[in-house]
Amino acid sequence: AALLLIAHGAAAQTPADSSATRADSLVTATAETATEVAETVEGLKIRPIFSVGALYSSSRGIGVGGGFAADNLARRGDHLQVEGRVGQRILGAFGAYQTGVPERSTLFGLVGASVLTSSRFPYEGTSPESSPDGKLYLDRYEAEGEVRVAWQPLGLLGPLVQPFARYRVDRLRSFEPKRDSSALAFVSPEDLAELERLKGETRSGAALGVGALSDSRDNAGRPTRGAFVQGEAFRFFSTDGSGLQFTRGQALGYLFRPAPFKLPLQPERGAVFVRVAAAITRQDSGELPFFYQPVLERDLLVGWPTRAYVGRDALSVGVGARGVVVRNLMAFRVEGTVIGMLGTGYDDVFRQFTPRVSASNTAVAPGADVPLQPSLGIGVNLHYRDRERPLVGGLIGIGPGGITFTSFRLVVGLDRYLPTVR
């Protein structure tokens, strides 16, 4: 994960695509799994962050995570965020500073960096032909730094254009079966050969690109109409002598409309929405390592376990609804969300796409079309009745791999509402 805190005032209020903007995903996920307490001293706002999701993981072990966010630190409207996670099998840190926010400035900048090392990085292959039974743990390291400039050419809160430069370093130290040695028998020869080739190597490269974001929602916290669209395209050049060059384009969009009718016992109509996400990668030369490829997981396809599949291309389409379920629960309001999705990953979406739908969690035969796979997301938020912010929120995903606890949020004194709708 990495470092696009540029959308603090806009994109951070709508969940990001993990394959499209890796740092936006981290910022969104961090805010969704944090306890934040705001303290104001002469315009300075400091919010401690406690990462609930960092406490325990079956693959990462026991740990702790947290940090702080600060606004108006060096100048009015700037934002600093620093976080870390320390666990039995994981160590990571993230930091970013931006000079302004879209509500106050039409031109501002961002600089940030992240580092992550883990001996239990999950891996299940890099192709639809990879078997889900060939589950491995990777011992790997990654680091990334980025500089961005954000410009709103049409004025405050207009479309946001973001040229950026990014540099990253990756190293695969070793790998082992997730359960027992028999898992190696299910790993495809191509995936196993790639891991053996990358083991012990340090890979590095730079990317130059531009991102864009547009937000016309009537309410960022509880939207009933409008659209949110973000995307980016970049060109990657290796600096490790491998000669790798590739280009990627990726996008995420939401369209909200008032619900056509109110369900029985529902206090208000709420809203319906459509969600589309896509990523396409094409390399000109050299091999494309797995750590440069888009990842499905929770932001692209709710219900997929973390890094359950990695591929060059990805596509997902979802239809959902959100609204108040219980309006008066003492001093609180309960809001529910449901979204059904179809999507999958491809080696080449133009060659392998088919409208056929399959819930089978098995490898695709060599040369065959890749069917879409269904998933379902169900979420609940608990709000103060008089404020547009959640106290507790969560989202579970149900997909071919079973039930996934996609996100959890515990919030106290949060200034901005970050919805669980993905």
Side-chain angles (χ1 to χ4, degrees):
L3 35 110
L4 301 170
L5 202 55
I6 214 79
H8 173 69
Q13 296 178 340
T14 293
D17 174 5
S18 64
S19 75
T21 48
R22 301 169 63 243
D24 280 338
S25 293
L26 176 62
V27 173
T28 301
T30 299
E32 288 183 341
T33 59
T35 297
E36 302 191 27
V37 181
E39 179 183 351
T40 303
V41 181
E42 296 181 354
L44 174 64
K45 291 184 179 181
I46 301 176
R47 300 188 300 278
I49 297 174
F50 175 61
S51 298
V52 178
L55 293 179
Y56 176 76
S57 164
S58 58
S59 62
R60 309 295 174 84
I62 299 173
V64 63
F68 70 93
D71 295 310
N72 308 318
L73 184 65
R75 51 178 291 177
R76 186 172 182 265
D78 68 358
H79 181 83
L80 173 67
Q81 189 158 328
V82 178
E83 301 170 33
R85 178 177 179 178
V86 179
Q88 286 178 289
R89 305 182 187 95
I90 186 172
L91 177 65
F94 160 86
Y97 174 76
Q98 66 185 69
T99 62
V101 292
E103 297 95 326
R104 297 177 179 175
S105 177
T106 58
L107 182 66
F108 52 98
L110 165 83
V111 60
S114 69
V115 61
L116 174 68
T117 179
S118 173
S119 61
R120 293 293 184 93
F121 200 91
Y123 175 90
E124 293 188 15
T126 60
S127 167
E129 300 172 9
S130 300
S131 172
D133 294 322
K135 298 179 180 179
L136 304 178
Y137 279 136
L138 310 183
D139 184 350
R140 56 168 298 201
Y141 162 88
E142 65 177 47
E144 186 169 278
E146 183 173 280
V147 176
R148 283 192 173 232
V149 176
W151 177 42
Q152 298 179 98
L154 301 182
L156 293 178
L157 299 181
L160 192 68
V161 180
Q162 305 173 60
F164 64 87
R166 181 184 301 155
Y167 187 80
R168 63 174 293 160
V169 177
D170 293 86
R171 183 176 179 83
L172 174 63
R173 291 181 285 244
S174 64
F175 60 89
E176 63 181 10
K178 187 174 182 179
R179 292 188 178 90
D180 54 55
S181 58
S182 63
L184 287 173
F186 295 96
V187 182
S188 72
E190 294 78 12
D191 289 339
L192 197 57
E194 179 191 31
L195 294 177
E196 290 288 358
R197 184 171 59 252
L198 293 173
K199 187 168 65 173
E201 287 191 2
T202 298
R203 304 297 295 270
S204 61
L208 298 176
V210 61
L213 181 152
S214 177
D215 188 355
S216 62
R217 294 170 299 170
D218 58 345
N219 184 304
R222 301 176 60 207
T224 58
R225 64 177 69 248
F228 177 91
V229 180
Q230 69 175 13
E232 72 173 29
F234 64 86
R235 179 73 171 169
F236 180 91
F237 306 88
S238 66
T239 58
D240 51 28
S242 64
L244 173 65
Q245 296 185 27
F246 69 88
T247 302
R248 175 169 302 144
Q250 45 211 14
L252 167 71
Y254 284 89
L255 177 64
F256 292 91
R257 287 291 182 267
F261 55 85
K262 182 173 73 71
L263 296 175
L265 305 179
Q266 189 181 21
E268 59 184 57
R269 287 200 305 172
V272 294
F273 60 90
V274 177
R275 178 190 183 282
V276 178
I280 296 176
T281 310
R282 294 294 179 268
Q283 79 248 38
D284 298 335
S285 59
E287 297 290 335
L288 186 66
F290 67 90
F291 38 73
Y292 294 147
Q293 300 184 31
V295 183
L296 283 182
E297 64 180 65
R298 64 183 186 182
D299 291 317
L300 255 181
L301 197 58
V302 171
W304 281 65
T306 301
R307 301 198 64 86
Y309 172 78
V310 182
R312 292 203 315 168
D313 301 346
L315 175 67
S316 70
V317 178
V319 177
R322 55 148 300 276
V324 175
V325 179
V326 180
R327 177 180 295 166
N328 297 311
L329 181 64
M330 295 183 291
F332 307 104
R333 179 179 66 239
V334 180
E335 181 184 278
T337 298
V338 61
I339 179 172
M341 303 186 71
L342 293 173
T344 191
Y346 307 87
D347 291 328
D348 187 334
V349 63
F350 301 106
R351 178 175 55 85
Q352 297 176 312
F353 175 81
T354 175
R356 182 167 60 90
V357 177
S358 173
S360 174
N361 189 27
T362 58
V364 176
D369 292 337
V370 181
L372 298 168
Q373 293 197 300
S375 67
L376 177 69
I378 302 173
V380 174
N381 283 333
L382 181 67
H383 297 255
Y384 279 126
R385 283 186 303 172
D386 59 344
R387 293 191 179 185
E388 297 295 331
R389 65 189 189 192
L391 292 177
V392 179
L395 180 70
I396 63 171
I398 305 172
I403 298 177
T404 303
F405 195 45
T406 301
S407 69
F408 176 76
R409 172 177 47 228
L410 176 63
V411 179
V412 178
L414 180 63
D415 292 53
R416 301 177 183 278
Y417 171 34
L418 305 176
T420 52
V421 176
R422 294 188 177 277

